[in-house]
Amino acid sequence: MANYFASPIVAVACAISILCLALAESANSPFIVAHKRVSSTKVNSDLERLSVSVDIYNAGSEPAYDVTLYDDNWAEEVFDTVIGNTSKTWEKLDAGSLVSHSFELESKVKTVYYATPALITYRVPTKSKLQEAYSTPILPLRILSKSTAENKIQIAKMLLAKYGSLISVVVIVITFANIITSPTKASAGKKKH
């Protein structure tokens, strides 16, 4: 009995053909790509407002039906929903179409919050099971924390207070050494004659 996978070329050719078959099957269906983004605005020192937006794009060749966005994993002890809903449903999302959904949250709790990606479910006519897609993840949210510019200023002040006198001494010594070693105009003029 011959071993067809003994040759690396045959094994690679089989893997490529299986991949091509899988891609051909998925080419005739919806393909959901979702992008989640969050921007924050500090209302005052005790309140921060988050604007959450999720864009859903059907990159497939067929429409998706009963498309539902679920982004309700925001902790109730940290956030209050101010404007909009964390869920939204669309009857149909055609191939090449884009839909967006936005809502706003408020927080009075100082914390670093790790949000989960949004869940998108949709129906494909050829499959009985609901399909799932997830949005892009977002970076951890620093709620009611100082901005990075304020942190950099604080670090610079701390370093200046700790090492300021040492830096001054080093600058004075370097300046003095530079003056001693550089030729003066009077001595430079004497060497030319």
Side-chain angles (χ1 to χ4, degrees):
M1 183 152 116
N3 187 353
Y4 290 107
F5 293 105
S7 168
I9 295 172
V10 173
V12 169
C14 287
I16 289 173
S17 64
I18 290 171
L19 181 64
C20 289
L21 286 173
L23 288 174
E25 176 64 29
S26 67
N28 295 328
S29 65
F31 184 78
I32 301 298
V33 179
H35 178 64
K36 179 179 179 178
R37 59 186 180 276
V38 177
S39 62
S40 64
T41 305
K42 193 178 279 191
V43 178
N44 58 42
S45 62
D46 297 332
L47 182 67
E48 190 158 342
R49 183 170 282 186
L50 300 177
S51 296
V52 182
S53 178
V54 181
D55 297 330
I56 303 171
Y57 177 67
N58 183 356
S61 60
E62 297 291 324
Y65 297 94
D66 302 326
V67 179
T68 304
L69 164 70
Y70 300 100
D71 195 14
D72 51 5
N73 293 324
W74 299 92
E76 291 180 7
E77 60 273 5
V78 178
F79 299 101
D80 294 320
T81 303
V82 183
I83 299 172
N85 295 316
T86 57
S87 299
K88 172 89 172 158
T89 301
W90 296 269
E91 186 177 319
K92 181 180 176 184
L93 183 59
D94 288 321
S97 295
L98 172 75
V99 292
S100 296
H101 179 65
S102 299
F103 57 93
E104 291 189 7
L105 306 168
E106 281 185 349
S107 180
K108 296 179 182 176
V109 179
K110 182 176 182 177
T111 186
V112 175
Y113 189 76
Y114 297 88
T116 60
L119 170 66
I120 296 91
T121 61
Y122 59 99
R123 191 173 52 78
V124 178
T126 59
K127 298 181 181 177
S128 60
K129 186 179 175 187
L130 275 178
Q131 305 299 303
E132 294 182 349
Y134 291 92
S135 70
T136 54
I138 59 172
L139 294 173
L141 301 169
R142 298 182 186 282
I143 308 296
L144 294 175
S145 66
K146 294 180 180 178
S147 69
T148 56
E150 290 174 355
N151 289 342
K152 288 178 182 177
I153 291 171
Q154 291 292 39
I155 291 171
K157 285 181 182 178
M158 180 193 67
L159 290 174
L160 188 59
K162 189 171 184 177
Y163 299 109
S165 59
L166 180 63
I167 292 170
S168 298
V169 169
V170 170
V171 168
I172 291 170
V173 169
I174 290 173
T175 304
F176 181 73
N178 196 12
I179 291 171
I180 297 295
T181 59
S182 65
T184 62
K185 290 181 181 180
S187 64
K190 290 179 184 177
K191 289 181 181 177
K192 288 184 181 178
H193 294 288

